[in-house]
Amino acid sequence: MQKSTLAKSVAALSFLFLYGCSSSSLTAPSVRWVADFQTDEFTDESTCRVTVGSKYTSSSVYTYTGSLYPFVEKKEGEIRVGVMSGGGLKIPVGEVQLRIDQNPAWTISVDETPADLVPNASAQGSLASMSQHLTSEQQQALEQTYSATMAYTSKSLSPYTATTGQKADEILNQMLTGQKLIYRSVGFNQQGSNVGEYLLDESFTESLRQCGIHI
C-alpha cells in the first residue's frame, strides 16, 4: 500500500513538473530581433536600434553584463552595423568579426567606430605639465601623438564597435539575404571570445522597418 501511494505521488509530481515546463515554453516569447527606441535625456535626440537580447518577456528585452550583442542602427542618414556590450555594466568590445552564412567573415576594428559611440577621454592638464619644458616643435609633436593615443585608447575602451559607409551597407545587404549571423570579439594573442549566433528571420526585417531603416 505504501509503495503504491508513493508511486502515485511521484507520478503526480512528475506530471506537474513537466506541465509547468511545457506551459512556460508555450507562453515565453521566442528569441527575436527588436526595435529599441532611445531618447537622449539632454539633447532629446531620438534613435532607433535593431538588436537582440538574452531574455525576453511580454514587454521587455534584457541583456547581460559580459555578453555581446549585434546591432544595426541609422543615425542622421548613416547606417551603422556592429556589436555592443550588454547589461548595466558595459565592458569594452574590442575588434569584432561577423559572418553571415558561408560568406567571408567581416572584421570591424575599433578605429572604425563612430565618434559619438566612443567615451570621451581627456587629460589636458597632464599634457600641459609634460610639455612646458619642450620647444614649440616638440610640443606640437607631443600633442599629435597624445591626441592619437587618447583617441585609440578611448575607442579600445568603448562598449561599442561599429562600422559605417559602404562597408556597413554591404554587411547589411548580406544580413537581409542571409539566414544566420555569427559573431565574436577578437584581440591580440587570443583566438577570440565565444561565438554568438542569431537567426536572420522575419523579426529582423520587421524591426528594420519599425526603425525606418529602409530595405
Side-chain angles (χ1 to χ4, degrees):
M1 181 68 69
Q2 291 180 346
K3 291 184 179 180
S4 175
T5 303
L6 179 61
K8 291 180 179 180
S9 299
V10 171
L13 288 173
S14 299
F15 173 78
L16 289 174
F17 176 77
L18 292 172
Y19 179 78
C21 291
S22 299
S23 298
S24 177
S25 63
L26 288 174
T27 59
S30 60
V31 174
R32 63 189 185 277
W33 294 81
V34 295
D36 180 27
F37 294 87
Q38 299 287 338
T39 300
D40 189 283
E41 297 180 353
F42 295 92
T43 65
D44 294 328
E45 181 182 25
S46 296
T47 60
C48 185
R49 178 178 295 148
V50 175
T51 187
V52 291
S54 291
K55 182 179 179 180
Y56 295 74
T57 67
S58 59
S59 59
S60 301
V61 179
Y62 297 92
T63 60
Y64 297 151
T65 296
S67 295
L68 302 178
Y69 303 89
F71 73 91
V72 177
E73 70 176 12
K74 186 175 183 180
K75 185 172 184 178
E76 298 179 352
E78 179 182 65
I79 298 294
R80 301 171 174 186
V81 179
V83 174
M84 64 181 183
S85 175
L89 179 62
K90 308 296 183 182
I91 63 173
V93 173
E95 186 174 282
V96 298
Q97 288 181 322
L98 309 175
R99 190 179 189 191
I100 298 94
D101 297 341
Q102 299 304 311
N103 294 298
W106 295 91
T107 298
I108 305 176
S109 70
V110 295
D111 287 335
E112 300 176 59
T113 304
D116 64 295
L117 293 179
V118 177
N120 293 324
S122 177
Q124 294 301 320
S126 299
L127 180 61
S129 63
M130 288 187 293
S131 63
Q132 59 182 345
H133 299 299
L134 302 178
T135 65
S136 59
E137 290 80 7
Q138 291 173 329
Q139 288 180 359
Q140 183 177 6
L142 176 62
E143 290 174 0
Q144 292 175 348
T145 302
Y146 187 82
S147 297
T149 301
M150 292 298 291
Y152 181 81
T153 300
S154 297
K155 290 186 176 184
S156 298
L157 296 175
S158 174
Y160 300 90
T161 297
T163 190
T164 59
Q166 182 178 352
K167 184 174 179 178
D169 292 339
E170 292 177 359
I171 296 174
L172 178 57
N173 286 335
Q174 282 191 7
M175 294 174 72
L176 287 168
T177 58
Q179 301 296 317
K180 182 175 69 174
L181 167 72
I182 60 175
Y183 62 97
R184 66 179 180 178
S185 65
V186 295
F188 296 110
N189 299 320
Q190 66 180 42
Q191 293 182 345
S193 65
N194 293 332
V195 176
E197 177 181 316
Y198 287 94
L199 296 178
L200 297 165
D201 56 15
E202 292 182 0
S203 68
F204 178 65
T205 54
E206 177 58 29
S207 296
L208 289 175
R209 292 190 184 95
Q210 293 178 18
C211 278
I213 300 176
H214 301 293
I215 56 176

